[in-house]
């Protein structure tokens, strides 16, 4: 039979990088460099290593369950049961995407307001853009689908080119001299490493290569390689761009400005830089939110099909789209915009709250790997050379917990914990009530791995 799989390693890396690159990364990068200066590269490297270990976990799970395309939700279902599956899936894909999607769409509104439409309030612009994206996805039209690879290439190329221009002092703006540069607010190895939670946002989502693994020519090799190469490429580009930011903007300004990447673009290349970064912000924001609205409702539909979410989310409209999922996501994002949570001064806090949820999901993934090694010690597909006594998983768990406990300082930390704790407790309560009270299932009743792995 002819092999219809056409995607090579390059395409797999593009998927990893493309779904991670977003303007919220530029915001986090600018804030991190402003707080620690060039030393922010240290937490970037720490997170790079942790994500390398995480890639080993996802590779092992994918190797044992290659047909489980639902990713971490299906993995945790087999390893930890339905409640854990609901919590991990809703944490990583629903709550995180509502929080991060609101940041992305809020920055689109802010940029349009500042550059092109000063007379129109930024929140109103954001809601209009979100409404348009929700409508086209409701109609089943993904207008980015055919040009997604081009958009990803342009975004990554822009990041790299801006990094080169600023790093090598090729911009038209005035360079900040050593005498003019302000001192970093965060010093000492403990304080610098504690910024790993902020750096973590620049690498999240490496596992998104798994849903396309069925189309890869050599998935057994390329899933792991794509994740590793993707995070290494991102580390290099972001480190280069981050250092470049400090060449044209003082650390104090980077740390205090609500849109540090826009300030950097203006200082480096003047008005041309503002327009360039503005276009990058719009493309990245719209592309990211469009991907969320087009993909996450299908995950919710799959959960509903497995009785882990209300049946309404399984139903599709006449265009074949699970509309309830779009309504949940767009409604949550709109609520954050209209209530003022996405005011520019609070964007970083929203990103860090979202990081807590994704870190929680990754903790559960690593626990799942350890649990399945105990339940299925001789499982087919597991590469025993990469087990390494479970050390990578233990390091990941400890590192993720450390990042949650060092997510921020002062009042910001309290606010982030309030958001995280409130939503997490509500999510756990909903999951337990749904599984135990409504569906009469065991909260930790795990299906056999073969059952999930035989799903078409």
């Amino acid at each position: 039979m002819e092999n219809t799989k056409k995607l090579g390693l390059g395409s797999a890396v593009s998927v990893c990088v493309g779904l991670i690159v977003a303007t919220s990364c530029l915001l986090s990068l600018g804030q991190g460099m402003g707080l620690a200066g060039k030393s922010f590269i240290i937490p970037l490297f720490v997170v790079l290593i942790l994500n390398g270990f995480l890639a080993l976990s996802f590779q092992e799970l994918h190797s044992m369950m290659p047909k489980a395309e639902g990713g971490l939700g299906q993995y945790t279902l087999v390893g930890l049961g339905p409640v854990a599956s609901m919590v991990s899936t809703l944490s990583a894909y629903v709550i995180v995407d509502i929080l991060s999607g609101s940041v992305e769409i809020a920055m689109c509104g802010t940029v349009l307001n500042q550059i092109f439409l000063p007379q129109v309030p930024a929140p109103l612009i954001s809601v209009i853009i979100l409404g348009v994206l929700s409508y086209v996805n409701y109609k089943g039209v993904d207008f980015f689908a055919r040009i997604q690879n081009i958009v990803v290439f342009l975004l990554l190329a822009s990041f790299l080119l801006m990094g080169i221009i600023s790093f090598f002092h090729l911009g038209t703006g005035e360079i900040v001299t050593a005498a003019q540069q302000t001192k970093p607010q965060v010093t000492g190895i403990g304080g610098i490493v504690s910024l790993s939670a902020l750096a973590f946002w620049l690498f999240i989502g490496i596992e998104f290569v798994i849903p396309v693994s069925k189309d890869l020519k050599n998935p057994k090799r390329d899933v792991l390689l794509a994740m590793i190469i993707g995070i290494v490429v991102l580390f290099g580009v972001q480190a280069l761009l981050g250092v470049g930011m400090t060449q044209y903007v003082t650390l104090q300004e980077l740390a205090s400005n609500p849109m540090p990447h826009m300030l950097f673009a203006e200082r480096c290349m003047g008005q041309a830089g503002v327009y360039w970064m503005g276009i990058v912000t719009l493309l990245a924001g719209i592309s990211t939110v469009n991907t969320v609205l087009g993909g996450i409702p299908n995950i919710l539909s799959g959960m509903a099909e497995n009785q882990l979410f209300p049946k309404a989310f399984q139903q599709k409209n006449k265009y074949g789209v699970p509309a309830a999922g779009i309504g949940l996501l767009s409604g949550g994002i709109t609520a954050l915009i209209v209530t003022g949570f996405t005011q520019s001064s609070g964007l970083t806090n929203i990103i860090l709250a979202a990081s807590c949820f994704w870190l929680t999901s990754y903790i559960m993934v690593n626990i799942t790997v350890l649990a399945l090694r105990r339940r299925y010690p001789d499982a087919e597909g597991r590469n025993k050379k990469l087990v390494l006594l479970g050390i990578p998983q233990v390091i990941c768990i400890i590192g993720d917990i450390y990042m949650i406990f060092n997510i921020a300082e002062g009042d910001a930390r309290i606010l982030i914990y309030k958001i995280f704790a409130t939503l997490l407790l509500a999510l756990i309560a909903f999951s337990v009530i749904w599984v135990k009270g409504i569906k009469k299932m065991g909260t930790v009743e795990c299906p056999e791995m073969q059952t999930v792995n035989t799903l078409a």
Side-chain angles (χ1 to χ4, degrees):
M1 181 180 295
E2 182 182 356
N3 187 3
T4 59
K5 297 179 180 180
K6 299 179 180 179
L7 298 181
L9 178 59
S11 296
V13 173
S14 177
V15 170
C16 280
V17 173
L19 288 172
I20 297 174
V21 171
T23 46
S24 54
C25 293
L26 289 172
L27 174 60
S28 300
L29 181 62
Q31 294 280 352
M33 297 303 298
L35 290 171
K38 297 175 183 178
S39 296
F40 187 62
I41 293 177
I42 295 175
L44 283 177
F45 184 75
V46 169
V47 176
L48 170 68
I49 299 301
L50 289 177
N51 274 273
F53 290 155
L54 178 67
L56 294 178
S57 292
F58 275 114
Q59 164 67 10
E60 180 171 330
L61 293 171
H62 174 260
S63 296
M64 293 191 297
M65 293 175 277
K67 294 184 179 180
E69 298 168 5
L72 61 84
Q74 286 179 292
Y75 298 149
T76 51
L77 175 62
V78 175
L80 304 176
V83 169
S85 177
M86 289 184 67
V87 172
S88 65
T89 304
L90 296 177
S91 292
Y93 297 134
V94 177
I95 292 181
V96 165
D97 283 319
I98 287 176
L99 293 174
S100 62
S102 68
V103 172
E104 295 291 333
I105 212 72
M107 285 198 286
C108 287
T110 299
V111 167
L112 282 173
N113 168 262
Q114 293 179 349
I115 300 178
F116 302 110
L117 301 169
Q119 70 278 13
V120 182
L124 177 59
I125 298 174
S126 298
V127 171
I128 292 173
I129 295 174
L130 178 61
V132 172
L133 292 175
S134 299
Y135 176 74
V136 296
N137 277 280
Y138 176 86
K139 299 274 287 187
V141 180
D142 185 354
F143 61 87
F144 266 93
R146 296 184 179 181
I147 60 171
Q148 190 72 27
N149 285 341
I150 297 175
V151 171
V152 170
F153 174 78
L154 291 175
L155 290 174
L156 194 60
S158 291
F159 288 3
L160 179 60
L161 188 55
M162 286 182 179
I164 293 173
I165 291 173
S166 55
F167 186 87
F168 292 103
H169 301 173
L170 302 177
T172 58
E174 183 179 343
I175 298 170
V176 176
T177 64
Q180 295 171 326
Q181 187 57 272
T182 54
K183 294 182 179 180
Q185 299 177 28
V186 179
T187 57
I189 189 64
I192 292 171
V193 173
S194 70
L195 292 177
S196 297
L198 186 60
F200 168 77
W201 189 256
L202 279 71
F203 295 92
I204 60 169
I206 60 172
E207 73 276 10
F208 279 111
V209 70
I210 291 175
V212 302
S213 61
K214 62 183 184 298
D215 299 318
L216 298 178
K217 293 177 181 178
N218 189 352
K220 187 174 181 180
R221 180 201 67 180
D222 291 350
V223 167
L224 177 60
L225 272 182
M227 289 188 284
I228 298 297
I229 293 174
I231 58 177
V232 170
V233 168
L234 287 169
F235 172 79
V237 171
Q238 291 166 347
L240 183 70
L241 180 59
V243 172
M245 286 182 173
T246 66
Q247 310 278 29
Y248 288 88
V249 187
T250 65
L251 303 187
Q252 182 179 5
E253 290 175 307
L254 282 174
S256 61
N257 195 286
M259 302 279 279
H261 58 294
M262 296 299 297
L263 177 63
F264 154 70
E266 181 180 15
R267 294 284 179 84
C268 182
M269 291 169 283
Q271 195 61 30
V274 171
Y275 286 123
W276 185 4
M277 187 64 81
I279 293 173
V280 166
T281 300
L282 291 173
L283 280 177
I286 293 174
S287 177
T288 300
V289 174
N290 183 67
T291 300
V292 167
L293 294 175
I296 304 305
N298 292 315
I299 292 177
L300 296 179
S301 177
M303 290 180 64
E305 187 176 350
N306 291 322
Q307 302 185 56
L308 295 180
F309 214 56
K311 191 174 181 179
F313 289 87
Q314 183 182 352
Q315 298 173 355
K316 298 182 179 180
N317 62 18
K318 62 182 180 181
Y319 305 106
V321 175
I326 294 177
L328 175 63
L329 293 166
S330 59
I333 293 173
T334 299
L336 290 177
I337 293 173
V338 300
T339 55
F341 265 86
T342 55
Q343 290 179 351
S344 57
S345 58
L347 293 179
T348 301
N349 289 338
I350 295 177
I351 291 174
L352 291 175
S355 292
C356 287
F357 282 100
W358 214 309
L359 284 165
T360 300
S361 296
Y362 283 168
I363 290 171
M364 297 171 74
V365 165
N366 283 291
I367 294 175
T368 294
V369 171
L370 299 176
L372 291 182
R373 285 179 185 170
R374 185 178 180 85
R375 284 177 57 195
Y376 302 98
D378 300 314
E380 183 179 353
R382 179 186 292 126
N383 187 338
K384 293 186 178 181
K385 294 181 180 179
L386 298 178
V387 170
L388 303 175
L389 302 176
I391 294 174
Q393 287 72 38
V394 172
I395 292 176
C396 272
I397 293 170
I398 294 173
D400 292 346
I401 293 173
Y402 174 83
M403 285 189 280
I404 291 175
F405 275 98
N406 291 274
I407 199 71
E409 295 182 352
D411 294 339
R413 183 179 187 177
I414 295 174
L415 175 60
I416 292 166
Y417 281 162
K418 283 182 178 179
I419 297 173
F420 174 56
T422 301
L423 293 177
L424 182 61
L425 290 174
L427 183 55
I428 294 173
F430 169 73
S431 300
V432 171
I433 292 172
W434 181 263
V435 171
K436 190 72 174 178
I438 298 178
K439 292 300 177 181
K440 308 301 181 183
M441 301 163 60
T443 55
V444 292
E445 182 181 341
C446 305
E448 291 297 317
M449 184 172 66
Q450 291 82 357
T451 304
V452 174
N453 197 37
T454 55
L455 293 176

